[in-house]
Amino acid sequence: MPDFDATPCAVFPKQAGKNRAFTLRFFPGNSRETWTKHGGTRDNFRVAINGQYYRTSERKFIFFSRESVEWMIQQHALALLGLLGPWPETATTPDLPRGAKVWWFKAEKDGSGVMDCDTGGETMIETFTRTEPFQDEHNEWKAYVMGSRAPVSLTQIRPRTQ
């Protein structure tokens, strides 16, 4: 935790386990004499994000109005609830049930680490799905197949008709 030279009037902590989460601290603009020399008053605020005062390459001391602080608090709360940012498109689940017979185009390497040039580096394996398709953290569709401990991208799987 950073050691600030002023006491914040409000602290909004980072939510554990959330990507892109951050800690937000607000300081009254008149907390330090140095700040008042640069335009700080009791009606404006300095902001610290993850332990660093907000500043730009042109200005070291930046003060925010009450309305700006209210907007920041609202955005912080929405981000913690997962309601901020672009909404993901509703994806339709691929029609590949658990236990479906599939061809798996498995990348093969020999002991030298060189891909087999005869098959383009892939071997077709006759197998079946162990799970229904799901999306990973990057929204890529994957499924577990027999013969693999890791999930396999659906781009490497083709349904068998027989």
Side-chain angles (χ1 to χ4, degrees):
M1 185 169 134
D3 186 23
F4 288 104
D5 53 358
T7 304
C9 60
V11 177
F12 295 88
K14 170 183 175 177
Q15 184 173 352
K18 288 281 187 179
N19 291 339
R20 299 187 203 121
F22 53 92
T23 301
L24 195 58
R25 289 182 175 85
F26 297 101
F27 301 84
N30 63 350
S31 294
R32 296 191 58 224
E33 188 175 320
T34 317
W35 295 358
T36 57
K37 292 178 186 175
H38 294 280
T41 66
R42 68 183 189 99
D43 295 331
N44 59 25
F45 301 87
R46 279 200 80 187
V47 176
I49 301 171
N50 283 341
Q52 298 289 323
Y53 287 117
Y54 181 81
R55 55 180 70 158
T56 65
S57 58
E58 298 89 30
R59 293 182 54 199
K60 182 177 179 181
F61 298 97
I62 296 177
F63 300 95
F64 293 92
S65 67
R66 180 185 189 112
E67 293 79 22
S68 297
V69 167
E70 288 173 0
W71 180 83
M72 287 182 200
I73 293 169
Q74 180 185 27
Q75 297 304 304
H76 186 267
L78 290 172
L80 292 179
L81 293 171
L83 300 175
L84 187 64
W87 292 94
E89 295 179 20
T90 54
T92 58
T93 306
D95 186 23
L96 193 64
R98 180 179 178 194
K101 295 178 181 181
V102 295
W103 291 107
W104 172 28
F105 297 94
K106 181 179 178 185
E108 289 289 330
K109 291 185 181 184
D110 61 8
S112 67
V114 179
M115 299 301 278
D116 179 9
C117 56
D118 293 335
T119 62
E122 294 179 338
T123 303
M124 284 181 33
I125 298 175
E126 191 174 342
T127 186
F128 60 91
T129 59
R130 294 189 299 158
T131 64
E132 291 183 359
F134 61 91
Q135 286 183 300
D136 66 2
E137 63 272 6
H138 304 291
N139 292 331
E140 181 181 2
W141 285 101
K142 294 188 173 191
Y144 283 94
V145 298
M146 287 302 292
S148 176
R149 292 183 186 173
V152 176
S153 172
L154 292 190
T155 59
Q156 300 172 328
I157 298 174
R158 298 288 182 271
R160 285 190 284 156
T161 55
Q162 302 172 5

